[in-house]
Amino acid sequence: MTTTKARQDVARTQLPVWALCIVDAGLLVASGLIHLHFWDIAYRHVATLGPLFLVQVIAAFVVAVTLIVTRRLIVVAAAFLLMGGTIVGFILVRTHGLFGFKLGFTSGLAATVLVIEIVAVVLAAVTAWVMTRNAGAGA
């Protein structure tokens, strides 16, 4: 009977982590798809930045799949850093320039992906907090 109770407790603490990881992965994929679109319509011929857009796309997809499959804290940290780095890159391109390229305008889709990435960073932090809290509770 104690084993059944322990399994129920583990399942109860894992459900929020599953849900958070699924949403985190969805945000990563959304960011990756938008960056793929940007690469296709505008950045494929921009030196250094074009390839970095593809790196972001591939990294977002790999981290999303790995997050769903493993649900590990290190992967949540990778998602946090990837989305945070993407935000920093966008801010640099808009303000000072990056690799000799400065973006003079921002499209509505750029603003959308920025919001997606901000939400992804916040949600990754929440996911990490829930995971560490659950680990501390013995789950």
Side-chain angles (χ1 to χ4, degrees):
M1 198 67 161
T2 308
T3 306
T4 303
K5 171 87 168 100
R7 283 187 194 142
Q8 289 173 343
D9 288 345
V10 168
R12 191 175 308 110
T13 58
Q14 287 179 351
L15 183 60
V17 171
W18 261 109
L20 288 167
C21 286
I22 289 169
V23 176
D24 286 336
L27 292 168
L28 285 162
V29 168
S31 174
L33 288 172
I34 293 171
H35 279 83
L36 181 60
H37 174 70
F38 284 152
W39 175 83
D40 185 44
I41 66 168
Y43 292 97
R44 77 170 53 201
H45 301 295
V46 176
T48 308
L49 276 184
L52 286 176
F53 267 70
L54 288 180
V55 168
Q56 195 277 354
V57 170
I58 293 165
F61 292 162
V62 168
V63 172
V65 169
T66 306
L67 185 59
I68 293 293
V69 171
T70 67
R71 296 173 321 278
R72 303 283 303 234
L73 185 58
I74 189 76
V75 183
V76 174
F80 179 90
L81 291 173
L82 176 62
M83 293 293 97
T86 304
I87 293 167
V88 169
F90 176 75
I91 291 169
L92 286 174
V93 165
R94 285 287 292 139
T95 57
H96 301 291
L98 187 62
F99 303 115
F101 181 82
K102 186 171 181 183
L103 188 61
F105 68 94
T106 303
S107 69
L109 195 53
T112 300
V113 76
L114 182 61
V115 169
I116 287 169
E117 290 157 355
I118 291 168
V119 171
V121 165
V122 170
L123 194 60
V126 169
T127 303
W129 178 77
V130 170
M131 287 176 139
T132 56
R133 190 191 72 184
N134 287 351

